[in-house]
Structures are given as C-alpha cells and as structure tokens.
Amino acid sequence: MRYLVTGAAGFIGSHLVERLLLDGHDVVGVDNFLTGQTRNVLPWRDHPHFQFIEQDVTQPWRLEQPVDVIFNFACPASPIDFHSKAMEILQVCSIGVLNLLAMAKEQRAIYVQASTSECYGDPEVHPQVESYWGRVNPIGERSPYDEGKRFAEAAVMAHHRLYGLEVRIGRIFNTYGPRMRVGDGRVLPNFIEQALSNRPLTIYGEGQQTRSFCYVTDLVDGFIRLSRSKEIKPINLGNPQEMNIREVAQLIIELIGSRSTIAYQPLPADDPQLRQPDIQRARTLLGWEPHTTVPDGFQRTIDYFRTILK
Ligand code: UDP
C-alpha cells in the first residue's frame, strides 16, 4: 500500500512513518518544519520506500504519485503554540484539511484525520465518550486549536456525506514518547527536562487537574487499525489510566531520582480540569487498547531526553 503522511517530521507523524515502513509499505512524508524536526525524518532519508516532500499543506500543491491512504497529522499541538502559531493552526486545520480532502477525493484514497480530545473542551462528561459534543470556549486562548480541529471534523464528515469519501477520525488524548521536542512546553517534556537538571518542576495551578497519557507507539497502532476499519464516526484513542498532574510530577522525579522540588505557577486559561478517554468503541470496533504501562513509557521517554540533552 502507498501512504501519505502529513506532519511526518512531527512527534506522532514520525512514529507513524516508522511503523508503516516497518510493515513494508511505501510512504510519502510531508512537513514544512513549523514544529516538526529534521532529526525525526533523517533515519529514513535513504529508505527505498520513503520519499520526503518539504511542503506547507495550506499552499496549493499536487502529489504526483497515487496513494491509497492519507493520514493528516499536520498541525502544531502544544498549548505553547496555540498563541504564537494561532494563524498557522487555523490555516492548517481549515485550508490544509480542505486541500487534503480534495486530494483524497481526486485520488479515491481513504482520508484519516488526526483529531483531538480538545473537541470535548473542559468536559462535563467524564470519562469522555465520542457522543459528547463538548464544552469549548470558541474565543479562548486554546480556541484556534480546539475550534480548528472541530472545523476539521466537520469538513471531513461533509466530504463523506457529500461525496461518499472514505473517512476516519481518531480523537487523540494526551500522547507522549521519544521525539517530542526539547522545549515543547507540554507537561512531560517540561517535567523531564526540569527533573534531569534538578530544576523545580513547574506545576500549573494546584496540580489536581487530570490527564491520561498514552505511549506513542500504542497510539499509532490504534490509528493503523482505524485506517483499516470501516468506522466513519470519531473514535477516541488514548490511555484510560487517569492521573493528576501532581502524581505525574512525583513519578517523574522518582524515576529520574532527581533532587527537583515543585514550583507552583498560575493555571493557564481554559486548562481542562479533567481528561480521560472512554475507549469502549476502540476496544470493540478496532480490538485496540494501549499496552505500555505509564512507568514503562515514562522511562523510555526519559531515556530519549537524556540522550538528546547530552
Ligand atoms: N502543565 C503543568 N506544568 C507544565 C506544563 C503543563 O502543570 O510545565 C499542566 C497543564 O496545565 C495541563 C497539563 O499539565 O493541565 C497537561 O498540559 P499539556 O500542555 O501537556 O497538554 P494539554 O493536555 O493541556 O493540552
């Protein structure tokens, strides 16, 4: 099979490329390096089944070769980018998605959208089920990303209804692992970088807010299964094991054996209080659930940051 992966130099995109190449497929990777990193695609530079195209998917472009599946993972995803890269996020989630949907239609390819638990906003339903419509602030700090991804889902479903396009939507909950950026701003890179240098871990608010962390290769496996399924409607992909941010900080300090203390900082606006996926649909329809335990996955991520920061 031939795959197009956008956001191929990004954190999740690069793991998806790796998995597809390992499975023996042909992969065209696209990225404009807005938040992607060259080091994430360098290992496959000379791979006979990999081709890389540096391209901003919001600009007009044509893909010369036919593909069977388009995985759209192009979009900055760290809250620190929601302000400074607000325009790029709005564009990639609208113009970029529409461009790629048009390409999928022309190519008769299956279109897979990387969506997000941010569609649920600061949720009143816990754990979050796919049928919940969410509680999103349409004008808040996070809105370029949240509403961008909600627009993307609307565009994907419209293409399915109007043109019968084969579409899939995976709603990604907090995902972590090797190849996250140094200075990414998300909680695990921050805590790991701080703990490795014995600096205080910055907990925003009181640290009672919860997240559920999924190891990246588990998530990628979920997306592969989703692409092969017949499921049109969104499916949550994440780890149902919920933790509060204080527990995350403690575990990171413990695993690293760090002398770091905790520094409490203000909670960012609209920071969701709770986040936990209900993965019943993924379990029954895809036969999927994550297998990497949190301490195991955290350790692998710590090892990666240790190497990178050397
Ligand atoms: N967070 C924190 N300290 C940090 C970075 C993040 O306490 O240095 C908190 C943040 O406020 C949020 C949670 O950790 O409640 C997860 O944040 P992240 O930026 O990783 O992603 P989000 O789930 O908010 O999109």
Side-chain angles (χ1 to χ4, degrees), residues 70-131:
I70 297 177
F71 276 108
N72 183 17
F73 278 73
C75 187
S78 169
I80 56 161
D81 297 322
F82 294 174
H83 176 72
S84 64
K85 298 187 174 65
M87 289 314 299
E88 289 92 337
I89 291 171
L90 288 164
Q91 282 163 350
V92 79
C93 289
S94 55
I95 303 165
V97 167
L98 293 173
N99 283 347
L100 291 161
L101 282 165
M103 190 180 281
K105 185 169 160 242
E106 191 187 310
Q107 296 234 10
R108 296 198 169 85
I110 295 171
Y111 179 93
V112 187
Q113 177 64 38
S115 189
T116 172
S117 60
E118 291 287 324
C119 288
Y120 304 121
D122 193 6
E124 297 136 311
V125 171
H126 194 70
Q128 291 76 61
V129 283
E130 291 89 344
S131 53

Side-chain angles (χ1 to χ4, degrees), residues 79 142 174 186-187 190 202 204 209 211 245 271 275:
R142 299 173 83 101
N174 293 69
R186 276 176 283 192
V187 67
N190 274 10
T202 52
Y204 302 159
Q209 69 272 36
R211 293 294 187 271
I245 295 303
D271 198 283
R275 187 79 67 57

